[in-house]
């Protein structure tokens, strides 16, 4: 054989497998044959296939050796491993309750870890799919005002072109106008089939910067003809059934700016879930520039998002210093600075304070990773506690083994084998459990996660198995193998004092975590309930809102009078803003007695007649807008905060200037919330407008909702030419503002529940063990006349003490955490002592109940049973 | 004492060992069997069969082709023993006898 000259080498793993299982003689035989086969396979099947076959054969040999082979062909390790498996199996079988407690704990812990891993991996993958994601940046703008610096993604239209021109570091810059720009819904139709869409307007550089592959047609085609559009595969199949038919077809776009036909010139692959740019149709940006030139070509108008590709190796800090004052260079009055942030970081680090990045969702990623780890640790603690507690029963086994010459290493290996088997079994079950709960998890997190077996997942699972095995097996292995041979043969535990302390400490740790979780869940849900019931200064019950998309401005009065004539309608009004986060803001207001450089940024609500009545905003002084009067456009309403901020006394009738035009104050309204409760109430004014309405709000009489909505829908579709009626109650829209908190709340509820269940299982296991060990003592006490309650008390005292210590540790920590979280809200609940008292009592009761399952059983047992054996 | 039996796979391995005469070792037996049976055979199964056969005394093994440079690899040749041949013969005669007792009507299927 001349395989010496052949360079191909068999895989190391296969060789290692053979070496670690085969006896010396057999190994040399097997190696010869394996190598000869390998080199033959390299010649006829190629190196990759040959290596795979080699591994397969090696596994085959090892498995034959392990299950069927005679011991003379394998080394002692194989036999020991076989023995360890057998002993583990027998010990699982012997202590069934312990086995199930461990298994349930590990399974649920590992299932949580798997689910959280999926979520975290998804969060981390956001916006990373672009080919150039390493050099892809978004330009953010810091707008300075008297209220501080506000960081927004909206940037001036000419910014991207200027960046490309002036800075050699910028390879491409692109301006994107997303669907956020349009306040109403947008619809696309073909052949009277209407679909609600998310549109986006792009310029020529878009496809150079981002990676959104085409499936049909050419992406450049929309820049050739202003009326060409690209649509997503999903939209194409929904409109035309088959995406092949889409190209060349005419579609009609209707929203507040457009009522125009376009031609489909290409189809792009659906935007992946992990993209923050969400769109299903792309238009040429020039199209909207032609309509509304000044929104996109001047430096003081911020509507587009700006993205760019920097040349590789550009230092971000240096570059940011260069572009810092760019906007003010062109528009000296702008008072805003720009900076670039890596695009894939804008999702996770999207919170800013004073123009600095202060984190964002990354905090949740960290929080949930921590929770996964904590739950896994709690499950591991069960295994540790129960194994060391059960050591009593295995003392003889250890003693005999040691007498026969077992080294400490052998015993350590045995316990690690046990832990490994447990963990592997746990992870297999966890996989199924996680798979079963995935739909529920997706619903709660609002994501679309799925299991995909890839290298990372395999790596994570292997890593988890190793870490969990080390965590669970480590302490028992070292502890049990350390025991003194003679003492253990006699059945005595030496140093039991310290060990029971370690065990108690671990239980205390478990319950401290449980207490913290209970308090957190309680406070998060209280805070959310508080937000939802908080008096917002307006009455959002039964107020229905819908957009005026597809309705001509001139038919609005007709629609309004039709709506007001409906029997179930109490009030109705149309506006250009909503009260759920979508408001304007301006500092362009001046008032009598204003200091020279004083400016207040106020919320601007542009509304029609009947707004305060529809929303139930209370009037404090003066009057509101009335139909009968003329020239209401020159009048204005303020809220109390605004009046206070301006320092006006006796404000009714005074004249202020808004954007240079004079307006007379006719009334003051009570404070009401227009933004999230993370913010305090802002100074707000309400002004009348007579055009550019986007929303209609209708206050419906309670009990007539269904009929009234039906009638509203028929009015709407008649006037809009058959557009779908998309309405939503204001209180629902309000709740949607706190979606993030609600997700965190329901997730933390589930995880807290799991953590507590696992902890309780561990406690139950320990109590069972203690009760078994003390069964003789209990028997004697009962014979001497101890009552049932006396015995229950005896067995629960230890637990009560442990829980008390857990509370002493857990409650202060939870107070600290809760306080930090509540601080983020401008309107938070008071952290009263009741919450903590309640959580403490709950924990104690749960623990007692768990323990009572066992204590009552042993206290009621007939003493004869436990005493007769001696 | 329990009678020593020859399994179906063992019989095939034993036969091949005899057929290959003097050049029977892991790889050759495996390749020969694979080409005859038209399916792949795992080395593990083959070794296990060979080890059982050696224990029953139906094959002998000898070492050949040790390469010092390869570091502990060696060819282990297997030769069929007289007892092995006897065992094969016994199995065959039992089989032949049974086959001969098959009804003529069934055997005629072979010819059609």
């Amino acid at each position: 054989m001349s395989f010496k000259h052949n360079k191909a080498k068999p895989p190391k793993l296969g060789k290692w497998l053979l070496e670690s299982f085969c006896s010396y003689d057999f190994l040399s035989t097997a190696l010869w044959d394996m190598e000869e086969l390998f080199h033959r396979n390299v010649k006829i099947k190629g190196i990759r296939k040959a290596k795979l076959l080699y591994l397969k054969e090696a596994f085959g040999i090892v498995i034959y050796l392990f299950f069927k082979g005679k011991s003379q062909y394998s080394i002692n390790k194989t036999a020991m491993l076989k023995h360890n498996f057998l002993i583990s199996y027998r010990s699982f079988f012997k202590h069934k309750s312990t086995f199930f407690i461990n298994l349930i704990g590990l399974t649920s812990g590992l299932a949580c870890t798997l689910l959280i891993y999926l979520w975290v991996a998804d969060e981390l993958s956001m916006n990373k799919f672009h080919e150039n994601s390493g050099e892809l940046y978004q330009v953010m703008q810091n707008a300075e005002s008297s209220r501080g610096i506000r960081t927004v993604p909206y940037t001036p239209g000419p910014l991207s072109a200027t960046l490309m021109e002036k800075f050699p570091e910028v390879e491409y810059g692109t301006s994107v106008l997303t669907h956020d720009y349009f306040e109403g819904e947008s619809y696309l139709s073909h052949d009277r089939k209407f679909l609600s869409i998310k549109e986006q307007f792009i310029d020529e550089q878009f496809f150079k910067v981002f990676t959104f592959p085409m499936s049909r047609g050419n992406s450049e085609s929309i820049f050739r003809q202003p009326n060409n559009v690209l649509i997503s595969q999903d939209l194409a199949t929904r409109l035309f059934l088959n995406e092949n038919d889409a190209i060349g077809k005419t579609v009609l776009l209707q929203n507040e700016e457009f009522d125009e036909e376009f031609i489909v010139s290409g189809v792009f692959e659906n935007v992946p879930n992990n993209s923050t740019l969400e769109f299903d149709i792309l238009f040429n940006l020039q199209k909207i520039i032609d309509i509304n030139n000044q929104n996109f070509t001047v430096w003081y108008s911020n509507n587009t998002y700006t993205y760019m590709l920097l040349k590789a190796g550009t230092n971000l800090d240096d570059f940011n210093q260069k572009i810092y004052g760019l906007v003010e260079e062109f528009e000296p009055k702008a008072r805003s600075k720009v900076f670039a942030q890596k695009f894939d970081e804008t999702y996770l680090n999207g919170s800013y304070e004073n123009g600095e990045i202060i984190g964002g969702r990354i905090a949740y990623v960290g929080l949930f990773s921590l929770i996964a780890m904590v739950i896994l640790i709690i499950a591991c603690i069960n295994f540790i506690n129960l194994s060391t507690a059960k050591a009593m029963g295995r003392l003889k086994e250890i003693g005999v083994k040691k007498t026969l010459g077992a080294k400490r290493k052998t015993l350590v290996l045995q316990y690690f084998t046990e832990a490994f088997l447990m963990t592997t079994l746990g992870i297999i079950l966890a996989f199924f459990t996680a798979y079963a709960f995935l739909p529920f998890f997706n619903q709660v997190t609002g994501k679309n996660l799925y299991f995909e077996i890839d290298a990372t997942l395999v790596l994570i699972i292997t890593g988890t198995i190793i870490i969990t095995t080390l965590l669970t097996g480590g302490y028992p292995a070292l502890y049990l193998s350390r025991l003194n041979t003679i003492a253990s043969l006699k059945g005595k535990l030496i140093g039991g004092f310290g060990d029971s302390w370690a065990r108690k400490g671990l239980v205390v740790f478990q319950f401290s975590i449980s207490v913290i979780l209970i308090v957190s869940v309680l406070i998060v849900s209280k805070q959310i309930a508080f937000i939802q019931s908080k008096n917002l200064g307006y009455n959002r019950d039964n107020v229905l809102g819908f957009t005026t998309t597809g309705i001509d401005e001139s038919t609005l009065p007709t629609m309004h009078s039709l709506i007001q004539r409906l029997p179930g309608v109490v009030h109705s009004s149309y506006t250009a803003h909503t009260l759920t986060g979508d408001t304007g803001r301006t500092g362009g207001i001046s008032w009598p007695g204003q200091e020279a450089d004083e400016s207040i940024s106020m919320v601007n609500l542009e509304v029609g007649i009947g707004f305060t009545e529809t929303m139930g905003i209370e009037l404090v002084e003066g009057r509101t807008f009335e139909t009968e009067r003329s020239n209401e456009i020159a009048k204005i309403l303020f809220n109390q905060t605004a009046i206070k901020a301006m320092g006006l006394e006796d404000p009714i009738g005074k004249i202020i200037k808004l954007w240079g035009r004079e307006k007379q104050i006719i009334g003051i309204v009570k404070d009401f919330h227009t933004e999230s409760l993370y913010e305090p109430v802002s100074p707000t004014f309400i002004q009348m407008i007579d055009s550019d309405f986007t929303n209609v709000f209708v206050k419906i009489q309670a009990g007539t909702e269904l009929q009234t909505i039906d009638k509203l829908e028929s009015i709407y579709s008649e006037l809009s030419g058959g557009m779908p009626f998309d309405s939503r109650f204001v209180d629902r829209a309000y709740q949607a503002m706190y979606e993030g908190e609600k997700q965190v709340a329901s997730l933390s509820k589930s995880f807290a529940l799991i953590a507590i269940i696992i902890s309780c299982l561990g406690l139950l296991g320990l109590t069972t063990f203690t009760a078994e060990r003390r069964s003789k003592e209990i028997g004697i006490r009962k014979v001497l006349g101890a009552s049932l309650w006396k015995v229950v008390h005896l067995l629960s005292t230890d637990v009560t003490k442990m829980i008390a210590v857990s509370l002493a540790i857990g409650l202060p920590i939870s107070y600290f955490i809760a306080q930090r979280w509540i601080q983020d809200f401008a309107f938070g609940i008071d952290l009263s002592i009741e919450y903590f008292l309640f959580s403490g009592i709950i924990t104690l009761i749960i623990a007692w109940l768990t323990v009572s399952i066992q204590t009552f059983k042993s206290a009621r047992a007939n003493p004869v049973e436990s005493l007769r054996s001696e | 004492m329990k009678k020593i039996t020859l399994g179906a796979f063992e019989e095939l391995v034993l036969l091949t060992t005899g057929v290959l005469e003097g050049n029977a070792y892991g790889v050759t037996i495996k390749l020969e069997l694979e080409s005859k049976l038209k399916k792949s055979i795992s080395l593990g199964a083959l070794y296990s069969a060979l080890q059982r056969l050696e224990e029953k005394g139906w094959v002998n093994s000898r070492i050949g082709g040790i390469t010092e440079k390869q570091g502990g690899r060696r060819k282990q040749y297997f030769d069929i023993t007289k007892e092995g041949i006897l065992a094969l013969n016994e199995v065959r005669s039992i089989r032949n006898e049974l086959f001969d007792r098959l009804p003529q009507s069934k055997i005629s299927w072979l010819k059609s």
Side-chain angles (χ1 to χ4, degrees):
Chain A
M1 280 281 121
S2 60
F3 50 71
K4 280 184 265 181
H5 308 293
N6 203 324
K7 269 189 192 153
K9 283 220 171 83
K12 285 212 176 78
L13 175 69
K15 233 174 114 181
W16 174 82
L17 260 176
L18 291 176
E19 276 164 5
S20 41
F21 284 97
C22 303
S23 69
Y24 182 80
D25 282 352
F26 180 53
L27 178 70
S28 46
T29 307
L31 276 182
W32 175 288
D33 287 346
M34 290 283 286
E35 266 168 42
E36 194 182 325
L37 264 179
F38 174 72
H39 289 287
R40 205 184 118 89
N41 282 337
V42 169
K43 270 184 214 135
I44 47 179
K45 288 176 183 160
I47 181 114
R48 264 185 72 90
K49 197 89 194 276
K51 280 194 173 179
L52 233 87
L53 278 170
Y54 188 95
L55 272 180
K56 201 182 134 201
E57 292 284 10
F59 269 113
I61 290 177
V62 168
I63 283 173
Y64 262 97
L65 214 55
F66 192 82
F67 289 106
K68 298 192 178 158
K70 290 273 183 318
S71 56
Q72 77 222 50
Y73 300 109
S74 54
I75 49 176
N76 286 346
K77 256 196 255 170
T78 320
M80 277 317 287
L81 201 62
K82 243 171 159 170
H83 169 81
N84 285 348
F85 275 146
L86 191 68
I87 293 282
S88 307
Y89 170 74
R90 282 181 187 158
S91 114
F92 291 160
F93 208 71
K94 194 172 164 198
H95 308 286
K96 282 195 202 75
S97 61
T98 317
F99 172 67
F100 280 114
I101 286 172
N102 279 334
L103 192 63
I104 293 171
L106 273 179
T107 303
S108 33
L110 288 168
C112 289
T113 315
L114 278 177
L115 286 176
I116 290 176
Y117 159 72
L118 280 185
W119 185 82
V120 167
D122 186 72
E123 287 282 294
L124 293 179
S125 75
M126 274 296 188
N127 290 334
K128 289 227 170 83
F129 61 92
H130 298 288
E131 261 167 44
N132 299 317
S133 99
E135 280 83 47
L136 184 48
Y137 292 84
Q138 180 168 14
V139 184
M140 310 293 276
Q141 189 167 211
N142 283 330
E144 290 157 21
S145 72
S146 59
R147 285 176 81 231
I149 301 172
R150 220 173 131 110
T151 306
V152 292
Y154 308 106
T155 48
L159 182 64
S160 66
T162 313
L163 280 169
M164 250 199 328
E165 235 169 68
K166 290 191 69 166
F167 300 96
E169 295 95 325
V170 181
E171 199 152 4
Y172 296 108
T174 183
S175 300
V176 175
L177 185 73
T178 67
H179 58 93
D180 295 345
Y181 176 74
F182 305 98
E183 279 168 16
E185 279 290 293
S186 301
Y187 294 97
L188 194 71
S189 57
H190 174 80
D191 220 6
R192 306 214 48 79
K193 198 193 255 173
F194 287 94
L195 291 176
S196 160
I197 52 159
K198 282 184 174 160
E199 67 278 52
Q200 183 163 298
F201 291 76
I202 58 166
D203 61 17
E204 276 94 336
Q205 278 76 39
F206 182 79
F207 285 102
K208 291 174 186 147
V209 175
F210 296 105
T211 312
F212 290 109
M214 297 294 292
S215 106
R216 297 269 183 287
N218 187 341
S219 60
E220 295 299 311
S221 57
I222 59 163
F223 306 115
R224 287 186 210 128
Q225 279 286 329
N227 271 40
N228 278 354
V229 290
L230 305 175
I231 61 176
S232 70
Q233 284 178 315
D234 181 48
L235 199 61
T237 44
R238 280 197 295 157
L239 266 186
F240 308 106
L241 298 176
N242 189 336
E243 56 171 279
N244 293 326
D245 301 338
I247 295 190
K249 290 275 163 59
T250 314
V251 287
L252 178 69
L253 171 72
Q254 282 172 295
N255 65 11
E256 61 191 59
E257 295 274 5
F258 291 96
D259 190 350
E260 200 176 334
E261 289 194 329
F262 290 84
I263 297 161
V264 178
S265 68
V267 180
F268 54 87
E269 286 174 21
N270 289 336
V271 176
N273 285 328
N274 52 1
S275 171
T276 45
L277 280 175
E278 288 176 294
F279 53 89
D280 39 32
I281 183 163
L282 289 170
F283 295 89
N284 189 338
L285 186 65
Q286 196 56 44
K287 194 72 203 167
I288 196 152
I289 296 179
D290 290 343
I291 292 181
N292 204 334
N293 194 0
Q294 65 148 5
N295 269 2
F296 304 100
T297 49
V298 293
W299 282 88
Y300 55 79
S301 200
N302 300 304
N303 290 299
T304 49
Y305 291 8
T306 304
Y307 301 94
M308 59 190 178
L309 272 189
L310 290 185
K311 296 218 167 91
T314 308
N315 184 311
L316 184 62
D317 291 333
D318 294 346
F319 181 73
N320 272 340
Q321 236 154 35
K322 282 191 206 166
I323 62 168
Y324 182 69
L326 191 64
V327 175
E328 282 168 356
E329 226 171 89
F330 291 90
E331 181 62 38
K333 278 189 282 176
R335 295 190 68 197
S336 74
K337 312 283 191 286
V338 288
F339 68 95
Q341 186 182 5
K342 272 205 75 184
F343 180 49
D344 53 18
E345 282 168 13
T346 51
Y347 176 74
L348 287 173
N349 294 296
S351 294
Y352 309 88
E353 207 174 275
N354 276 328
E356 302 281 325
I357 301 161
I358 54 155
R361 287 187 74 93
I362 192 83
Y364 287 145
V365 172
L367 178 72
F368 282 120
S369 309
L370 187 73
I371 287 181
M373 247 159 56
V374 164
I375 291 184
L376 198 57
I377 289 175
I378 287 182
C380 292
I381 288 178
N382 278 356
F383 188 93
I384 295 171
N385 272 351
L386 295 177
S387 320
T388 49
K390 283 269 176 330
M392 261 314 238
R394 298 179 80 164
L395 283 178
K396 291 247 160 66
E397 177 196 327
I398 296 163
V400 169
K401 270 191 176 167
K402 281 201 163 184
T403 318
L404 291 177
K407 290 203 181 89
R408 189 165 174 199
K409 206 174 116 194
T410 324
L411 287 169
V412 167
L413 200 71
Q414 182 193 332
Y415 287 99
F416 273 125
T417 313
E418 211 162 290
F420 173 77
L421 278 182
M422 199 67 173
T423 314
T424 313
L425 200 59
I427 209 151
I428 292 169
L429 289 177
F431 212 81
F432 288 111
T433 317
Y435 195 78
F437 277 95
L438 200 56
F440 167 75
F441 189 67
N442 275 337
Q443 201 189 339
V444 174
T445 52
K447 282 197 183 263
N448 193 9
L449 305 170
Y450 53 90
F451 277 109
E452 196 180 22
I453 310 275
D454 56 6
T456 345
L457 189 68
V458 171
L459 206 73
I460 288 281
I461 287 181
T462 325
T464 318
I465 291 183
I466 293 173
I467 292 172
T468 318
T469 306
L470 290 180
L471 264 178
T472 50
Y475 180 69
L478 296 178
Y479 164 70
L480 290 173
S481 60
R482 192 189 55 191
L483 297 175
N484 182 304
T485 316
I486 296 170
S488 55
L489 272 175
K490 282 184 181 158
K492 268 190 217 150
L493 252 180
I494 301 227
F497 183 73
D499 299 315
S500 86
W501 270 104
R503 246 189 330 266
K504 278 179 187 160
L506 289 172
V507 172
V508 165
F509 174 77
Q510 281 182 318
F511 274 85
S512 304
I513 299 280
S514 299
V515 169
I516 294 174
L517 287 172
I518 292 178
V519 173
S520 315
V521 167
L522 195 71
I523 293 200
V524 169
S525 49
K526 281 274 178 227
Q527 171 70 20
I528 285 172
F530 172 75
I531 289 172
Q532 271 160 8
S533 63
K534 169 132 176 55
N535 184 0
L536 298 171
Y538 63 92
N539 189 346
R540 58 180 185 269
D541 297 337
N542 282 322
V543 178
L544 188 79
F546 56 92
T547 59
T548 59
T549 314
I551 293 184
D552 202 60
E553 194 83 43
S554 60
T555 49
L556 269 180
T558 327
M559 180 166 86
H560 198 210
S561 59
L562 279 174
I563 289 174
Q564 279 192 318
R565 248 178 276 148
L566 290 178
V569 170
V570 186
H571 292 292
S572 79
S573 173
Y574 30 72
T575 69
H577 293 118
T578 70
L579 286 184
T580 43
D582 169 32
T583 56
R585 218 169 225 292
T586 182
I589 196 156
S590 50
W591 61 92
Q594 183 184 19
E595 309 266 329
D597 58 346
E598 200 181 353
S599 148
I600 301 174
S601 162
M602 291 203 195
V603 170
N604 167 20
L605 285 174
E606 297 176 5
V607 304
I609 292 277
F611 179 74
T612 46
E613 290 87 344
T614 310
M615 288 298 180
I617 296 170
E618 276 180 60
L619 205 60
V620 182
E621 251 186 285
R623 64 176 181 87
T624 167
F625 303 114
E626 286 164 10
T627 335
E628 303 83 47
R629 298 182 194 250
S630 60
N631 204 22
E632 290 286 78
I633 294 195
K635 307 286 194 282
I636 195 163
L637 294 171
F638 281 101
N639 72 352
Q640 290 165 311
T641 310
I643 295 289
K644 213 184 285 166
M646 291 187 292
L648 288 181
E649 279 182 31
D650 206 10
I652 304 284
K654 290 228 165 97
I655 308 279
I656 57 102
K657 268 189 182 172
L658 175 65
W659 299 323
R661 261 172 290 167
E662 289 194 343
K663 291 198 184 239
Q664 189 186 19
I665 304 174
I666 53 164
I668 302 166
V669 294
K670 251 194 171 162
D671 281 347
F672 58 95
H673 286 276
T674 51
E675 288 163 308
S676 128
L677 289 187
Y678 278 113
E679 319 269 343
V681 175
S682 303
T684 305
F685 63 82
I686 306 175
Q687 59 166 326
M688 267 278 283
I689 49 168
D690 52 8
S691 61
D692 293 333
F693 294 109
T694 55
N695 291 285
V696 178
F697 287 100
V698 180
K699 171 97 176 174
I700 299 171
Q701 201 166 1
T704 64
E705 290 92 346
L706 284 181
Q707 302 97 297
T708 316
I709 292 174
D710 268 355
K711 283 175 197 147
L712 285 172
E713 180 165 8
S714 61
I715 293 177
Y716 176 81
S717 48
E718 197 179 305
L719 292 174
S720 65
M723 296 268 261
F725 183 62
D726 180 52
S727 66
R728 129 183 253 208
F729 279 104
V730 174
D731 56 350
R732 272 230 204 107
Y734 175 75
Q735 277 170 17
M737 284 167 72
Y738 297 96
E739 215 41 63
E741 278 74 23
K742 274 169 117 179
Q743 281 176 12
V744 174
S746 44
L747 276 185
S748 54
K749 250 182 226 167
S750 319
F751 290 135
L753 191 70
I754 291 168
I756 291 161
I757 290 176
I758 300 176
S759 310
C760 286
L761 278 174
L763 193 63
L764 180 65
L766 271 188
T767 324
T768 314
F769 162 74
T770 325
E772 266 169 31
R773 210 182 43 181
R774 294 173 78 173
S775 62
K776 288 230 164 72
E777 179 197 334
I778 293 166
I780 292 170
R781 278 175 192 270
K782 283 194 84 171
V783 167
L784 294 177
S787 70
L788 176 85
W789 289 106
K790 198 98 191 163
V791 177
V792 170
H793 173 77
L794 179 79
L795 286 173
S796 328
T797 320
D798 252 7
V799 175
T800 315
K801 273 187 206 151
M802 284 193 277
I803 302 295
V805 177
S806 311
L807 292 181
I809 296 171
L811 288 180
I813 296 177
S814 56
Y815 178 78
F816 178 71
I817 296 172
Q819 209 188 18
R820 290 274 304 265
W821 187 69
I822 292 285
Q823 265 174 6
D824 282 348
F825 288 88
F827 299 88
I829 48 168
D830 294 325
L831 289 176
S832 70
I833 189 91
E834 298 153 43
Y835 300 135
F836 299 95
L837 221 58
F838 180 74
S839 311
I841 291 171
I842 284 279
T843 316
L844 201 58
I845 289 176
I846 291 175
W848 271 335
L849 281 179
T850 313
V851 170
S852 69
I853 301 173
Q854 183 57 43
T855 48
F856 275 95
K857 204 172 117 195
S858 1
R860 249 199 240 118
N862 189 346
V864 176
E865 299 284 329
S866 55
L867 291 176
R868 72 174 168 192
S869 59
E870 265 167 54
Chain B
M1 206 184 114
K2 213 168 87 181
K3 185 169 165 38
I4 303 167
T5 53
L6 181 60
F9 185 66
E10 280 172 27
E11 185 190 345
L12 283 171
V13 174
L14 189 57
L15 270 170
T16 319
T17 314
V19 169
L20 286 171
E21 208 209 336
N23 191 30
Y25 63 101
V27 179
T28 49
I29 301 174
K30 178 181 149 85
L31 293 177
E32 180 68 30
L33 271 174
E34 278 180 349
S35 76
K36 282 279 169 301
L37 298 180
K38 302 200 169 48
K39 66 169 195 181
S40 77
I41 285 164
S42 124
L43 265 183
L46 183 62
Y47 284 138
S48 146
L50 280 170
Q51 283 158 6
R52 266 175 282 147
L53 288 173
E54 190 174 12
E55 217 162 284
K56 291 169 188 168
W58 291 336
V59 294
N60 274 336
S61 72
R62 63 188 157 86
I63 304 301
I66 302 175
T67 49
E68 304 240 325
K69 274 186 188 166
Q70 291 292 318
R73 285 148 183 73
R74 59 176 197 182
K75 250 181 193 171
Q76 192 175 13
Y77 288 105
F78 293 91
D79 298 306
I80 192 160
T81 59
K82 195 179 165 201
E83 289 81 6
I85 296 286
L86 288 176
L88 275 178
N89 193 39
E90 193 190 335
V91 171
R92 186 180 160 183
S93 64
I94 293 170
R95 208 172 278 164
N96 278 349
E97 197 220 317
L98 281 170
F99 193 90
D100 290 342
R101 281 167 56 196
L102 270 179
Q104 203 58 44
S105 57
K106 306 282 188 223
I107 290 178
S108 66
W109 288 352
L110 281 174
K111 288 162 191 162
S112 61

